Amino acid sequence: MNKLILFILGHLIACISYSQDLEKLDSLEQAFQNENDSEKKARLAIEIAHETNHVDNDKAEKYAVIAINLAEKTENPEIIAESKSVRAMVYGSNGNFKKSVELELEALHIYEELNDYRKVASTTNNIANAYLGIDDYEKSEEYYKKSYDAAIICRDTNAMAVPLVGMSILYEQEGKTEEALKRTSEAAGLFESINRIDAMIVCYFNAADYAYSLKRHDEAENWLEKARKTNELIGNKYYSGSIKMMESRWAANDKKYNEAIINANLAIEDFKFINAQLDVKRAYKSLSEIYADAGKYRDAYQTILKFDELKDSLNEVNQAKAMEEMNAKYDKANNEKKIAALSHQAALSDLENKSSKRLLNFAIGGSAVLLVLVIVALNAYFQKQKTAAVLADKNMIIEEKNREILDSIRYAKRIQNAIIPSDDIVNRYLANSFVYYRPKDIVAGDFYWMEIINNKILFAVADCTGHGVPGAMVSVVCNNALNRAVREFNLEQPGKILDKTKELVVETFSKSKENVRDGMDITLCCWDPKTNEIEWAGANNPLYIIRKESEELEIINPDKQPIGQFENSYHYTNHKVNLFTGDTLYLFSDGFVDQFGGLEGKKYKYARFRNFLLSHFKKNMKEQHDLFEHEFLSWKGELEQLDDICIIGVRV
C-alpha cells in the first residue's frame, strides 16, 4: 500500500515534505528561541513537533517533550491537552501505539470537560488511528464513529471527512474493499464541499487503489485521473510522484514494462526535487524489481546499487552530524590544552629554581610511596585471584544449571512434537496441503491439531498465550482439552467443540489459587471429503478461502472471544461452507502478520498477507510452503522473530 493510503495516521494530513516547510520551520525555531512566555513557548513547541513529525522524528520528539514540560507550568488545561496529544502523535509515528493511546485518552478527558467537540473529534480520530496501528479493528471503528459524531455536533465538515478516510483504511485492512471505497468516496465529497484540495487528492488516490484491487480498472483510472488533474492546481511534487509510482505499478502488472520504467523514473525525479529521499529509495527498489521482471538484469543491478548508495548516504547524514559535534568537542579540548601549556611555561622558570632543593626530598618520599604502591598492588592481585576462583566456581554451577534447563526444554520439545500430528498423518488425510511451522523458541505456544471422526477430518491452528516454555505449557492444556472434546464427548461440530474446549480449559485453570487468564485463539475446520462441505468455528482467528474460479479471497470472521476466561462469554458460531475442487483454505496464527521488518521496520499486517496469498495460491503446496519461508526471512531481515508462526494451507 502506498504511503498516501496511510496519510491519516499522520494526524489530519501532516506535512509531507521537509523541504516544502524549511523556511517556516526555521522561522518557528527562531521564534521559540526568542520567546520567554511559557504559554506561547509551549504553543510554538507543539507547532514545531507537528511540522517535523514524519520528517525529523528526533526533533519532533524533542519538541513534544519540551511542550509537555512547558504546558505543565502554565496550568492551562487546553495547552496541557494539546501537548499530550502532540506527544501521542510522535509516539504513534514511532510505532509505540500503546503510549500514544494512553496520552490521547488523557487529552480526550480534558477536551470533554471543556466541551470542545472539535478537539474531541480530532482526538478520538487519533485514538482510532493508534488502534488501527495495532490491528484492533473493533476499537478503531468505535473511535472513528465517536470522532464522526463529535464532528457532526460541532458542524465541522473537515472533521467529519477525516474519520471516514480512517474507516476506509480499516475496512481495506479487513478485506472489505468495497466498503473502503464507499467511505473514501464519501470523504472525497465532503472535502470537495470545502475545497480542501490536498485531502481531495489523497481520497482520489486511495479510491483508485481500492478500485484497482477490486479489478475495476476503468473506475480506478478515472479516480487516478481526478487525482492527477486536481494536483495540477497545486503542483505538489510528492503527490505527482506517488501518482506516477501507482501508474508504474499498474503498468508492470500488465507487463507493460517500458511504460512502468518511464513512470518510475519520472516519480524518482519528482521525489528528488523535494528531497524526499526515503521515497526515492523506495522507488529505486520498485524500479529494480521492474527491470528484473522485464529481464533487464544489468539495469536491475545498476538500480539496486543506487538504492544501496542512497541508503548509505542517508546514514552518512547522521554520521556527519555526529562528526561535527565531535569536532566541536575536540576544538574546545584543544583550546583548553593550549591555555594549560602557556600556564605551564610561565611556571617552569620558578620550578627550576626550586628543583634542586626538592630533589632529595622527592627521592626519599618517592621511595616510600613506591613501597606502599607495591604492597597495595600485591594485595589487590591476591584478592583478584581469590575472586576469580570464586567466580569460576559460580560460573561452573551456572553453566551446569543452564545445561540442565536446556536438556529439560529439549525433552519438553520431544513431548510437544509427540502431541502434534506427524507429517505422515497430515499427508495421509490432507494429501494436498502444507504446514509452515516456525516456533520462536525451542518450544512453542502455537500448535496445529488433527483428529478423524466419522470419516470427517478435523484440523486446526491454535495460538496459545505466550511463547517458549510458558506458551508450550498452555498448549499442552489446550491440546488435551481439544482431544477430550472429540474423543470423550464425541463432538464433531467445530462450534460445539470450541464451547467444550473452553469449558475444560477454564475448569483446569480454575484449580489454581491465582486468577489464571491464559488460553488460546484458534481456527478449527471439519471437512467432509465426500460432500466437500466444511464446518468452521474460530476464536479470534479467521478462516481465509480462495475460490479457484473467481480467484477472490473470502474471509470468515471469528467470534471475538478466546478459549479461556472471558467476560460476557457466549457460544461459538458454527459456520457451514460448500467447497469446490481446487478451492484453497488457509488457517493461521498471528505470528506472521505481526512480524516487524521491511525497509521501515513495520508490521507485515493482514493486507500484505492477503495480497501474498492471492499472488501465489495457484502454485502447488510445496512451492507455497517454500515461498512463505522465503517471504518471512526476507521481511524479517536482521530483526528478531517476535512470535511463533503456524500456517496451514489445504486445497480440496
Side-chain angles (χ1 to χ4, degrees), residues 575-609:
H575 302 262
K576 289 187 178 182
V577 182
N578 289 317
L579 299 177
F580 301 94
T581 301
D583 291 348
T584 310
L585 310 176
Y586 293 97
L587 295 76
F588 49 89
S589 63
D590 60 6
F592 198 100
V593 296
D594 282 347
Q595 178 64 42
F596 286 94
L599 289 175
E600 298 177 335
K602 292 184 177 181
K603 277 188 180 182
Y604 193 85
K605 292 197 174 183
Y606 287 95
R608 188 186 299 273
F609 184 73

Side-chain angles (χ1 to χ4, degrees), residues 1 5-6 8-9 128-129 131-133 135-146 148 160-187 206 209-211 213-214 544 553-555 557 605-608 610-611:
M1 193 65 64
I5 213 83
L6 297 174
I8 194 68
L9 299 181
N129 293 338
Y131 278 122
L132 182 59
D135 298 329
D136 191 336
Y137 300 143
E138 191 173 334
K139 280 283 189 186
S140 182
E141 186 170 15
E142 175 190 339
Y143 277 94
Y144 279 134
K145 288 178 178 177
K146 286 182 178 180
Y148 186 78
M160 289 165 59
V162 169
L164 290 177
V165 182
M167 280 191 269
S168 75
I169 297 171
L170 184 154
Y171 290 137
E172 191 274 338
Q173 296 278 35
E174 290 185 310
K176 302 173 184 175
T177 312
E178 191 71 61
E179 192 67 24
L181 181 56
K182 179 182 176 183
R183 291 285 184 254
T184 303
S185 180
E186 291 174 11
N206 292 357
D209 206 7
Y210 298 148
S213 296
L214 291 167
Y544 285 179
L553 189 148
E554 297 176 15
I555 301 174
N557 289 314
K605 292 197 174 183
Y606 287 95
R608 188 186 299 273
R610 289 191 290 270
N611 288 335

Side-chain angles (χ1 to χ4, degrees), residues 343-536:
S343 300
H344 174 72
Q345 188 65 36
L348 194 59
S349 301
D350 185 53
L351 183 62
E352 286 175 351
N353 293 332
K354 298 175 182 178
S355 61
S356 298
K357 184 177 179 181
R358 291 179 179 173
L359 187 58
L360 183 59
N361 292 335
F362 176 77
I364 296 169
S367 299
V369 171
L370 183 60
L371 180 61
V372 171
L373 288 174
V374 170
I375 293 170
V376 170
L378 285 171
N379 184 56
Y381 172 76
F382 290 125
Q383 185 63 38
K384 185 176 179 181
Q385 290 294 98
K386 183 178 178 181
T387 303
V390 172
L391 287 174
D393 290 340
K394 288 184 177 180
N395 283 339
M396 287 180 64
I397 295 169
I398 292 169
E399 287 175 7
E400 182 60 32
K401 291 292 182 185
N402 282 342
R403 275 195 294 272
E404 291 175 6
I405 292 168
L406 281 173
D407 287 344
S408 298
I409 294 173
R410 290 190 182 102
Y411 189 75
K413 172 72 172 174
R414 291 173 60 190
I415 296 172
Q416 191 170 53
N417 285 344
I419 66 174
I420 290 176
S422 67
D423 291 344
D424 289 341
I425 291 175
V426 173
N427 293 332
R428 186 187 311 164
Y429 294 103
L430 298 174
N432 202 3
S433 69
F434 73 85
V435 178
Y436 180 57
Y437 187 52
R438 186 184 179 89
K440 178 185 185 300
D441 303 304
I442 297 173
V443 288
D446 285 15
F447 68 93
Y448 53 100
W449 176 86
M450 183 180 288
E451 190 70 28
I452 312 301
I453 182 169
N454 298 329
N455 295 319
K456 295 179 181 179
I457 304 165
L458 287 160
F459 55 99
V461 168
D463 181 358
C464 295
T465 308
H467 48 75
V469 174
M473 294 176 71
V474 177
S475 76
V476 171
V477 172
C478 294
N479 187 288
N480 182 58
L482 280 168
N483 288 336
R484 287 186 62 196
V486 176
R487 298 171 187 173
E488 186 177 328
F489 295 93
N490 298 313
L491 299 175
E492 65 177 59
Q493 280 192 354
K496 291 183 178 179
I497 292 172
L498 293 192
D499 286 337
K500 178 55 70 174
T501 300
K502 180 173 185 172
E503 178 188 323
L504 295 171
V505 168
V506 171
E507 178 186 303
T508 300
F509 287 137
S510 66
K511 295 173 184 177
S512 170
K513 293 180 181 179
E514 298 180 8
N515 183 23
V516 180
R517 301 187 68 85
D518 291 313
M520 71 173 170
D521 299 335
I522 188 171
T523 171
L524 170 63
C525 275
C526 178
W527 176 39
D528 187 340
K530 292 182 179 178
T531 63
N532 254 356
E533 181 185 73
I534 64 162
E535 293 185 65
W536 176 85

Side-chain angles (χ1 to χ4, degrees), residues 6-39:
L6 297 174
F7 88 102
I8 194 68
L9 299 181
H11 279 228
L12 308 180
I13 312 180
C15 297
I16 295 205
S17 169
Y18 189 94
S19 60
Q20 289 173 325
D21 296 298
L22 267 179
E23 188 175 334
K24 180 181 178 182
L25 185 59
D26 288 342
S27 175
L28 286 171
E29 289 191 284
Q30 189 63 47
F32 177 83
Q33 295 298 330
N34 296 333
E35 186 58 64
N36 294 319
D37 181 77
S38 294
E39 190 168 309

Side-chain angles (χ1 to χ4, degrees), residues 15 104 282 284 366 437 558-559:
C15 297
E104 289 286 18
R282 290 187 188 126
Y284 273 137
Y437 187 52
D559 292 298

